[in-house]
Structure formats: structure tokens, C-alpha cells
Amino acid sequence: MTIEKKIAVLKTPQALRDWHLQQIRDGKRIGFVPTMGALHDGHLSLVQKAKDHSDSVIASIFVNPTQFAPDEDFDSYPRTLDDDLEKLVSVGCAAAYCPVANDLYPEGNATKVYVEELSSILEGEHRPHFFGGVTNIVSRLFIHVAPDVAVFGEKDYQQLQIIKRMTKDLGMPIEVIGAETIRETDGLAMSSRNQYLSPDERKKAGNFAKALRDAATAIEAGKSISKAIKQAEKDIAKAGLGPINYVAVRDAETLEELGTDTLKQGVSARILTAAWMGKTRLIDNLPLKR
Ligand code: PAF
């Protein structure tokens, strides 16, 4: 059976509009999972979550050039469309939107969407181009797909908060939901970029997740934030990663700093980190509450 018989493969904005109209006629609530392809179980869990909150799920597959800096991996980013479509079928995704760059960034376009402040801290300090690229593409995809609900992984926690803020600021009638990070058995957060790790780096990478988990446990038990961060930095370096871009404890929604003392009771916080393992940049985060 051809793939088109198992899932609606929508290659143009017009095909997407026709599909969308049919869903509305059928009274369906539309769930949306934007992706850059190279799908793994983490993405598939987002589709599952979108299914829990809607009647018909569409995923987009588009490697967005504007969120890569010139020295990053846009050209080598894994492109595995046939596999991706089969994986989407396996979790009951109804449609895949696979546009080309010109559909989303028409010739000569001059419009940009940018969330001030939140986009320039943490990841934004180290990848200044990144969140501007993400909000540009996600705002465009939201307009094209017009979903009722959209699901993003907590693995990219800052991205999730920025998209929530963008959606609220622009008054988009879309519910943005976060889905828990899916991990390998050694705790490493799943990511399309994990395939860049050599076998030796991959073995060590489990200790990156462990360092973060240990810091989270210590903070929740009352250890000072500054001491827990220092210990995590030591553990991450010992695991063979470096340079470490940041280990930070922030308010879970605003990502504002929370000081260096013990985490206050009742505050929802997040511990976030980014560090290099050889040529691969790993990020991770965990919730914190006392
Ligand atoms: O998280 C991702 O895969 C990307 O940043 C997204 C949201 C699909 C935008 O290109």
C-alpha cells in the first residue's frame, strides 16, 4: 500500500487548506505537532499527546533554515522523510504537512516574529539566531495549519515557554501543551542530534542526564541552588562534556533567576543545562518543586 493511502501527505498550502476544510466540516478538533523530521519516540509521544487532546492530528516536517546559524548543521541535519511518514502512520497521525521553504518564506518576505527578552537568555545567549528562527517558523505554521491545539516537547523547555508567550501575545486561538521528555534507558533525553554522538560519547552522555537529576534531587532536598549548580558543573565535566554553556535554575514560566539560596517552598522552577559532547551540543532540563 502506498504511503498516501495510510496518511494524508500534504505538500502544498492548498492541499493543507483542503484537508483543513474537511476536518472542520467533519466537526473535528485539530491537533498539531511541528517537527523537523528525523523522528524518534520523543516525537511520537507528542503525536500521542496531541491525539489525547484532539480528533485529528497533523504533524509538519520541515527543516527550518532560519533557526540554524551559518556554522551549524542545516545541510547535514538528518532528512528521513519516508521513515518519518511510516512512523507517523504507526501512531495514528492523520496527516503530514511537508511544505517547501518558499511556501513558508515567500520571495522577498520582510516580516519577523520575535519574543523579546525570553529569546535572548540561556539558549538565546549561545544561539542568538535560534529563537527568532523558531518563532518565525512556528507563527507561520500556526497560520497555515490553524490547529486547535499544538504540542511541543519539554525537552526544548525554553522553546515551549517562548511559543506559549508568542501565542498569547498574538492572540492566537491555539492551546499550546508541553509533553514530558522521553528518555533512553540511561536517562539521556531523546533528540534527533543524538545520532551525531560516537559510541564512546553516547556511553558517557548518560552521565549528563544523571548530573542534572542529582542536582534536581539535591535542590528539592534543600541544598542551596549555587552549591547544586557547582556540583552539577563538576559532574558534567567529569562525564567528559565541555565547554558547559550553562547550568541554571529559573522560574518555570518566566525563566527569571531565582537567586542562589535554597529554593523557596511552593515555587515552580526548572533546572536547565547545555553542554558540548565533542561536536554535539546536548541540552536537558528537569522540573523542580519543594
Ligand atoms: O523543536 C523543533 O523540532 C523545532 O524547533 C520546531 C518547533 C519544529 C520549529 O522548527
Side-chain angles (χ1 to χ4, degrees), residues 34-36 43 62 64 67 130 134 137-138 152 156 159 163:
T35 82
M36 297 207 300
H43 294 110
F62 177 69
N64 172 37
Q67 68 191 75
F130 180 64
V134 167
I137 194 62
V138 175
F152 292 82
D156 293 290
Q159 168 174 281
I163 287 163

Side-chain angles (χ1 to χ4, degrees), residues 7 10 28 32 60 78 82 104 114 127 133 155 163 169 171 175 187 190 193 197 199 208 236 257 262 269 271:
I7 182 168
L10 311 169
K28 292 196 171 151
F32 179 38
S60 61
D82 293 347
L104 291 154
Y114 185 75
R127 303 182 71 200
K155 155 88 189 338
I163 287 163
D169 287 357
E175 186 187 355
M190 286 191 186
R193 289 187 169 108
L197 297 168
F208 177 57
I236 291 169
E257 292 186 24
T262 303
I271 182 163

